[in-house]
Amino acid sequence: MVASANNALSHLSRMPEDVSLTVRKFSGEDYSQSDKYWFANNAVLSMATSVFSIYIPRGEKFFIKSVRYFEDQIKDPELKAKVSDFIKQEANHYQAHERFNESLKEKGIDVDKELATAELMFSFMEKWLPKKTQLGITVFAEHITATGAKQMLKSPEIAAHQDPEVRRLWEWHAVEEIEHKSVAYDVYEAMGCGYIHRMWSVFIGLVVQVGFLTRSIRRTFRKESEQVSLREHRQGALALLKKFHPDRQALKEEFLMYFKPGFHPWQIDDRPFIEAWYQKQK
């Protein structure tokens, strides 16, 4: 493992040999005792993260489709095997979040409305965007989720403010996002996609996705504001976020690395964080 867990940057250009894609079923969850405001008892943090969860099942299906389309063109047997495990991990993720989303529905969140919005967004991209652009969007999304996953795993302050059962779901998901974070990227490169197209995919993905996701969050906030003062919860959320991300410079640096030519996801070495999670499971 690397010496520094806080800012672990390396010169890796492929998945390290001591990292494997382990397909784990997430089971035994019970959200019946979890509060609707499961994140720091804060409506803003809880609702925003819950809306993200609502989008996850359809998003994971989009990622699977975008990678699977090129599966038969992959010549490297090792990468082909990683694609198979990537698909299995992502399938487990959308199934686990579907169960969590059902619990949100029981707590009065309009899950069906936002599921329909997510379906509209991903169906639009699948219909109108070229397959390589869809894959490029997946590559960028995998970078974003891996960056967020690391922040979750490295911040004990986050764990202390989350419902334990919901936290268990997000930690499991975070570890697997880090494990497979380079698979879509490696497929993208194997298909001959270059830097300019990678940047174009970022632009298209952001234009489409930010609008839909923002609309869903605002709609959910608007409904929630009928029950609580979101202004107070927003102030509380800002105070907590300062504690959650003390190393903002590292977070910014890792995010912006994606925009450099020659980038590879494992240039950000997250192994200490997933290793810590592995040890907790023993």
Side-chain angles (χ1 to χ4, degrees), residues 235-254:
Q235 291 172 345
L238 290 173
L240 285 169
L241 286 172
K242 291 180 180 178
K243 298 179 181 179
F244 293 164
H245 298 303
D247 194 352
R248 294 186 179 183
Q249 183 60 36
L251 180 63
K252 179 181 177 181
E253 181 180 0
E254 292 173 10

Side-chain angles (χ1 to χ4, degrees), residues 252-269:
K252 179 181 177 181
E253 181 180 0
E254 292 173 10
F255 172 76
L256 291 177
M257 282 179 69
Y258 187 84
F259 297 88
K260 295 181 179 180
F263 167 77
H264 188 274
W266 278 105
Q267 289 171 358
I268 302 167
D269 193 344

Side-chain angles (χ1 to χ4, degrees), residues 201-214:
S201 298
V202 170
F203 174 74
I204 294 297
L206 288 176
V207 166
V208 175
Q209 294 179 85
V210 169
F212 278 92
L213 188 57
T214 300

Side-chain angles (χ1 to χ4, degrees), residues 37 43-44 47 51 113-114 214-230 234:
Y37 302 153
V44 170
M47 292 298 102
V51 169
K113 177 70 174 179
E114 306 319 328
T214 300
R215 188 182 310 163
S216 287
I217 292 174
R218 284 179 175 174
R219 188 159 48 216
T220 304
F221 279 4
R222 188 160 53 246
K223 183 176 180 182
E224 207 61 27
S225 67
E226 299 171 2
Q227 304 176 46
V228 298
S229 171
L230 282 187
R234 192 175 291 112

Side-chain angles (χ1 to χ4, degrees), residues 1-48:
M1 296 301 164
V2 293
S4 173
N6 289 324
N7 192 16
L9 303 183
S10 73
H11 298 289
L12 293 170
S13 59
R14 65 189 301 273
M15 180 186 293
E17 293 182 359
D18 59 347
V19 175
S20 61
L21 277 66
T22 304
V23 180
R24 314 169 182 87
K25 281 283 188 181
F26 187 78
S27 60
E29 65 270 49
D30 180 6
Y31 305 116
S32 60
Q33 301 303 312
S34 301
D35 194 82
K36 180 166 70 170
Y37 302 153
W38 56 270
F39 196 159
N41 197 32
N42 184 280
V44 170
L45 293 176
S46 301
M47 292 298 102

Side-chain angles (χ1 to χ4, degrees), residues 59 62-64 66-67 70 86 90 131-147 177 180-191 193-195 197-199 201-202 205 209 255 258-259 263-265:
F62 175 86
F63 303 153
I64 289 172
S66 71
V67 172
F70 298 97
F86 168 88
E90 297 289 56
K131 296 297 184 182
K132 286 188 177 180
T133 303
Q134 293 180 42
L135 180 60
I137 290 170
T138 295
V139 171
F140 183 57
E142 289 295 308
H143 174 66
I144 295 297
T145 53
T147 302
E177 287 298 329
H180 71 228
K181 67 177 182 175
S182 68
V183 175
Y185 187 96
D186 290 339
V187 172
Y188 193 68
E189 286 206 322
M191 294 303 105
C193 301
Y195 176 76
H197 187 271
R198 180 156 61 90
M199 294 300 101
S201 298
V202 170
Q209 294 179 85
F255 172 76
Y258 187 84
F259 297 88
F263 167 77
H264 188 274

